[in-house]
Amino acid sequence: MPPKVEREKCDGCKAEKETLCEQVCPGDLMTLDENKKAICRMPRDCWDCMSCVKICPKGALETRIPYQLGFHVAKLIPLMGTDTITWTLIDINGKVERFHYINRGSLD
Amino acid sequence: MPVETAKKIDDIQTEILETDLLIVGGGNAGCFAAYEAKSLDPSLRVTIMEKAHISRSGALAAGMDAINTYIRRDKEETPEKLVKWSRAQMGGGPIREDLALSNAEILNEGVELLEEWGLPIIKDEDGEYKLRGRYDISIHGEQLKPIIAEKAMEAGAQVLNRVVATNLLMDEDRCVGAMGFGVRDGKFYVVRAKATIVSTGGACGIYKSPVTDYSGAHHQTWMCPFNVGTGYAMGIRAGAELTSLEQRWVAVRTKDFCGPVDTLAVAYGCLMTNGKGERIMEQRYAHLGGEKAPRFCRLNAPMNEWLEGRGPTYIDTTVLDPEEAKDLRTDMLNERPSFVLFLASLGIDITKEPVEIYGSDPYIVGGHTGSGYWVDISRMTTIPGLFAAGESAGGSPNKFVGGCAAEGRLAARGASAYLKNVSLPPVDSAQVDEEKKRTFAPFLRGPAFDGINPTEMEERLQRLMDEYAGGVHQFYRMNEERLVHALKHIRKLQEQAGLLHVGDLHGLMGAHEVIDRLNIAEVLIHHLLYRKETRWPGWQTRMDYPEIDPKLDCFVESVRDPKTGEIKVFTRPYEQLIPGDRLKP
Ligand SMILES: Cc1cc2nc3c(=O)[nH]c(=O)nc-3n(C[C@H](O)[C@H](O)[C@H](O)COP(=O)(O)OP(=O)(O)OC[C@H]3O[C@@H](n4cnc5c(N)ncnc54)[C@H](O)[C@@H]3O)c2cc1C
Ligand code: SF4
Ligand code: SF4
């Protein structure tokens, strides 16, 4: 399912020629609406790769599992470091887990 | 003039570029090809034409958690053994052992390069890459694609991001580049090149996915849905020979949301079970090899359990302790993070409850099976000047990350040697004009035009293939009459492709995606019709010919005549290079 855009948080990547979510989406799905907020132009076509969610500097994007497939509501929030990534996972029962690991360079 | 307001073909700007080596598709194989070509000769002009942005495109967009093929020589593994294993995974083949061996010989170098470039690879106590299966190593590959892309750019390749390839540029029978359009700038691109490598990945979306109807999640597919097989389609239209398309890749995946299953079995010891709690491979399919059965058997077995009244089917994650369950999900965050979210949305503890599994939609993908271009050992296709690598190249299955990267490098070597002896012909403006018209036609029919949108046609094709050409909803089964029916309707859809009508450039990309899929579907059906036997049940199940026919122990090939559109199907013999029982790994 397409990323849900939190409109208050999205600043339309003002400083960029092309917004970051638009730059990375492998399916050319992210764009700006008339109010300069991010929007997924073909919600049905999203692959849920989360590239846009990971790159958004404002944390304005959230991948949601459609209700037809999963229950309301689980969350998965990535936080990108320079050579690490931290994911916060909240399941439908409110259980919170963190996953933190190196995604660039040596593991030693 | 912004293309959105263009009304006639002359309003659209044409950009003519010249290069030595053009790489169509800047994914894994494509970026490795660029890196290799520039390493061989830094003065070579190398251009990548990529429909997305190379930093997050294709199969690797979300990341990877493993490299499925790496040869631990200290464990007495060899390229020959890897090829033997690959052959057994394909039920004895046929596979192109010459291609598979040459890939295997340089396989490790690419993986070691990746580590040098900053890919974290998990090590064992001896400081060697830690094995999680016989040839399978674990990585923290969330950044895999950005890393590879950076190296292609640092090497000095020119990158045309957001340019969608539509057709090859031909000089009679020789390929001299490719054409396409900018999905952002709306320009028509003609890239003239002494040699061209096609590395656009495989073809997803020929068939309907099992999740499509009821969720609106149309792209809940395992393979990258943005790889629609344009590389194959361009070759088909230009008269290239394709091989083994009937060897479809279908995988067992977690149900309702594509997550891995084989990985869980290999790396974590989670086995497939049925509704009765039986371990299905051991208890029901021991005669096919049990847990070691070839990949198509591992797909067909759970689906058979459903058919025989023993569903649902599961992957038994309850053998995991909490730490292993966390490791497993860490792996998945590196490869398919939304699957971890899906598990959380079920609200189950996977150490206490198993996860449901089911079959995926069928894909055409030369990284997993033998489908793709027929190539020689230098990776040149049957069209001079045109090379293929990765999932686009056929003949050698089970390439995956490492093998596709290796093949990118081999294709670059082949293309670099070839292009030394050729020069570019003058621009053929008639061909360029014709392709420009074909490319922008769906966009220039005028607002009042009463046509078809790409989504409608795509859904119609996918349902047709699903029902008549062995999709998941038919448990992958097919017969002659159904295939003939599908072919008839594909021809009708091809006729009506002239009615496709779009309002923007994203839509234009969609129009070409469905046109390309139609070309592939048509040729695929010819392959499926030709193989009057059942060699890989699940991947290729002919209900009217349920047994193996020893006479078909060969490659099925096709060529479409570019002038008449007629498709010829024929065979090529299998050549066994690695001795031994073909069914044994
Ligand atoms: C979800 C998933 C998980 C996987 N897990 C593993 C694993 O754990 N281990 C493993 O070894 N392998 C795994 N694989 C397989 C492996 O990643 C692939 O087989 C391999 O990386 C494919 O490389 P490629 O270069 O052939 O294709 P890709 O990397 O997909 O490259 C194709 C490129 O062509 C571009 N393109 C397509 N059409 C056009 C066009 N018309 N014009 C211009 N550009 C175009 C695409 O945007 C893309 O950049 C996985 C694959 C997937 C999808
Ligand atoms: S990257 Fe984030 S802030 Fe930028 S446009 Fe997209 S959603 Fe908005
Ligand atoms: S999740 Fe991936 S496919 Fe979906 S909109 Fe974001 S970048 Fe595009």
Side-chain angles (χ1 to χ4, degrees):
Chain A
M1 250 347 211
K4 201 167 152 278
V5 184
E6 209 167 314
R7 298 176 64 84
E8 294 69 47
K9 284 189 185 165
C10 168
D11 71 351
C13 281
K14 276 200 246 19
E16 306 279 339
K17 230 171 77 202
E18 185 175 271
T19 72
L20 294 175
C21 51
E22 198 171 349
Q23 280 180 42
V24 291
C25 176
D28 186 39
L29 297 174
M30 297 304 292
T31 185
L32 288 177
D33 67 10
E34 58 283 3
N35 300 316
K36 300 268 179 256
K37 301 282 179 187
I39 180 174
C40 177
R41 69 176 111 218
M42 295 274 279
R44 137 202 195 280
D45 285 351
C46 171
W47 190 28
D48 297 317
C49 74
M50 296 187 71
S51 298
C52 56
V53 180
K54 284 189 282 196
I55 207 162
C56 174
K58 297 282 171 191
L61 298 175
E62 181 195 336
T63 292
R64 275 280 175 98
I65 301 296
Y67 190 73
Q68 290 91 329
L69 304 181
F71 298 108
H72 195 75
V73 56
K75 287 181 187 280
L76 178 61
I77 305 147
L79 186 69
M80 306 297 284
T82 35
D83 52 8
T84 60
I85 182 166
T86 309
W87 300 88
T88 304
L89 177 70
I90 309 165
D91 81 0
I92 53 166
N93 306 312
K95 182 177 168 197
V96 182
E97 285 176 279
R98 262 199 192 90
F99 300 76
H100 172 77
Y101 53 86
I102 288 170
N103 59 358
R104 281 230 187 197
S106 163
L107 291 172
D108 310 328
Chain B
M1 172 176 311
V3 74
E4 251 78 13
T5 56
K7 289 199 174 52
K8 51 186 196 309
I9 198 78
D10 296 337
D11 296 341
I12 291 157
Q13 197 184 324
T14 300
E15 193 84 51
I16 298 183
L17 307 170
E18 193 190 305
T19 188
D20 294 317
L21 174 62
L22 171 65
I23 297 164
V24 183
N28 174 7
C31 287
F32 264 97
Y35 172 83
E36 180 76 7
K38 283 302 249 183
S39 309
L40 288 173
D41 176 2
S43 72
L44 200 73
R45 294 169 303 170
V46 176
T47 303
I48 297 176
M49 184 189 278
E50 166 58 50
K51 81 190 273 188
H53 189 292
I54 63 167
S55 72
R56 287 277 181 195
S57 64
L60 306 181
M64 282 288 134
D65 71 315
I67 294 178
N68 291 354
T69 47
Y70 180 80
I71 300 169
R72 278 282 298 266
R73 289 179 187 266
D74 61 315
K75 300 242 182 233
E76 264 139 60
E77 292 294 353
T78 61
E80 288 75 16
K81 286 186 182 171
L82 176 68
V83 174
K84 206 161 171 255
W85 166 85
S86 173
R87 182 173 70 193
Q89 284 294 321
M90 304 303 292
I95 74 167
R96 284 280 301 278
E97 296 180 18
D98 58 335
L99 299 179
L101 257 180
S102 60
N103 263 329
E105 269 151 15
I106 63 159
L107 181 66
N108 286 9
E109 293 166 21
V111 179
E112 285 149 19
L113 263 181
L114 284 171
E115 186 185 26
E116 203 182 297
W117 293 346
L119 173 72
I121 304 185
I122 296 173
K123 306 270 181 67
D124 62 16
E125 314 74 59
D126 307 324
E128 302 285 342
Y129 298 155
K130 187 174 173 197
L131 289 172
R132 61 175 215 188
R134 186 167 165 193
Y135 296 107
D136 206 329
I137 59 172
S138 290
I139 60 175
H140 282 184
E142 188 279 318
Q143 291 280 312
L144 180 56
K145 191 68 217 288
I147 289 172
I148 300 177
E150 278 162 23
K151 291 299 161 183
M153 289 185 284
E154 276 169 26
Q158 173 194 29
V159 184
L160 306 173
N161 285 314
R162 304 286 172 195
V163 176
V164 184
T166 55
N167 253 335
L168 300 172
L169 184 66
M170 300 295 289
D171 177 33
E172 295 187 356
D173 292 337
R174 170 167 77 115
C175 175
V176 290
M179 297 172 276
F181 69 96
V183 72
R184 290 287 154 70
D185 65 16
K187 290 183 190 167
F188 183 61
Y189 283 84
V190 180
V191 184
R192 305 165 68 225
K194 291 179 186 161
T196 304
I197 297 176
V198 170
S199 45
T200 52
C204 179
I206 307 288
Y207 287 84
K208 186 161 98 173
S209 119
V211 194
T212 300
D213 333 310
Y214 55 90
S215 66
H218 191 79
H219 281 165
Q220 191 34 252
T221 55
W222 179 256
M223 260 193 74
C224 174
F226 315 120
N227 286 355
V228 303
T230 305
Y232 302 142
M234 294 192 304
I236 290 169
R237 291 193 287 261
E241 178 178 333
L242 270 76
T243 183
S244 311
L245 291 201
E246 77 286 2
Q247 215 178 66
R248 305 174 309 163
W249 185 61
V250 195
V252 57
R253 289 292 172 252
T254 53
K255 190 165 178 294
D256 296 346
F257 201 99
C258 271
V261 171
D262 288 336
T263 308
L264 302 195
V266 172
Y268 290 93
C270 304
L271 304 184
M272 294 193 284
T273 57
N274 63 16
K276 313 260 177 228
E278 297 166 331
R279 298 187 155 184
I280 60 179
M281 294 314 293
E282 281 166 19
Q283 285 175 257
R284 296 265 170 199
Y285 304 93
H287 59 288
L288 300 175
E291 287 300 334
K292 295 224 152 26
R295 283 180 208 273
F296 57 90
C297 301
R298 293 183 57 81
L299 166 259
N300 211 33
M303 295 308 269
N304 213 37
E305 292 302 287
W306 278 79
L307 273 175
E308 296 195 350
R310 292 188 296 271
T313 42
Y314 303 95
I315 185 83
D316 185 10
T317 48
T318 64
V319 298
L320 302 173
D321 64 29
E323 202 180 320
E324 288 166 327
K326 185 144 187 185
D327 287 350
L328 184 160
R329 287 177 300 150
T330 304
D331 281 354
M332 281 306 100
L333 288 169
N334 277 313
E335 171 169 292
R336 196 156 169 71
S338 47
F339 173 62
V340 177
L341 176 63
F342 170 69
L343 289 177
S345 82
L346 295 180
I348 60 169
D349 176 351
I350 62 169
T351 65
K352 301 210 170 71
E353 273 182 71
V355 181
E356 261 197 90
I357 59 174
Y358 205 70
S360 73
D361 41 322
Y363 309 112
I364 305 302
V365 53
H368 297 61
T369 75
S371 305
Y373 279 91
W374 180 267
V375 291
D376 68 14
I377 196 73
S378 74
R379 270 53 179 182
M380 185 146 86
T381 68
T382 55
I383 295 182
L386 181 67
F387 295 74
E391 293 180 346
S392 299
S396 79
N398 300 311
K399 283 185 284 215
F400 309 116
V401 169
C404 289
E407 200 163 47
R409 293 172 58 221
L410 289 176
R413 291 177 194 176
S416 301
Y418 166 89
L419 63 79
K420 288 202 178 94
N421 306 312
V422 298
S423 53
L424 279 176
V427 180
D428 173 357
S429 47
Q431 187 185 161
V432 167
D433 288 349
E434 199 191 327
E435 178 59 7
K436 185 175 176 185
K437 276 203 204 104
R438 187 190 78 95
T439 300
F440 287 94
F443 188 77
L444 294 173
R445 301 196 207 280
F449 187 79
D450 184 8
I452 306 159
N453 75 50
T455 304
E456 294 168 322
M457 190 173 278
E458 179 194 308
E459 289 182 352
R460 180 139 192 186
L461 168 71
Q462 290 169 344
R463 188 165 61 84
L464 179 74
M465 293 299 288
D466 182 60
E467 291 174 352
Y468 297 91
V472 53
H473 298 88
Q474 295 296 326
F475 290 80
Y476 312 117
R477 292 154 184 224
M478 60 191 92
N479 57 285
E480 189 87 9
E481 295 75 15
R482 275 200 271 173
L483 289 169
V484 169
H485 173 102
L487 196 55
K488 188 172 130 201
H489 285 79
I490 284 168
R491 297 238 164 88
K492 190 73 197 164
L493 291 175
Q494 281 175 331
E495 234 175 86
Q496 297 219 318
L499 302 174
L500 282 166
H501 184 216
V502 302
D504 61 17
L505 290 164
H506 181 80
L508 188 61
M509 180 166 79
H512 286 284
E513 288 176 345
V514 71
I515 291 169
D516 292 346
R517 282 168 165 145
L518 283 168
N519 276 125
I520 298 163
E522 186 189 12
V523 177
L524 167 62
I525 297 218
H526 279 80
H527 280 249
L528 292 168
L529 278 167
Y530 195 92
R531 211 172 257 292
K532 295 194 188 334
E533 62 161 357
T534 296
R535 191 165 284 267
W536 307 284
W539 288 358
Q540 183 261 339
T541 307
R542 284 290 301 259
M543 299 193 75
D544 40 359
Y545 299 96
E547 306 295 330
I548 287 185
D549 177 355
K551 288 197 295 298
L552 286 170
D553 186 13
C554 54
F555 299 100
V556 173
E557 307 287 306
S558 60
V559 173
R560 179 183 173 279
D561 184 328
K563 292 198 182 76
T564 63
E566 193 203 336
I567 295 165
K568 267 211 314 262
V569 186
F570 53 100
T571 62
R572 284 198 188 242
Y574 161 67
E575 233 179 287
Q576 181 165 5
L577 300 180
I578 313 280
D581 183 344
R582 286 163 56 190
L583 295 173
K584 295 237 163 70

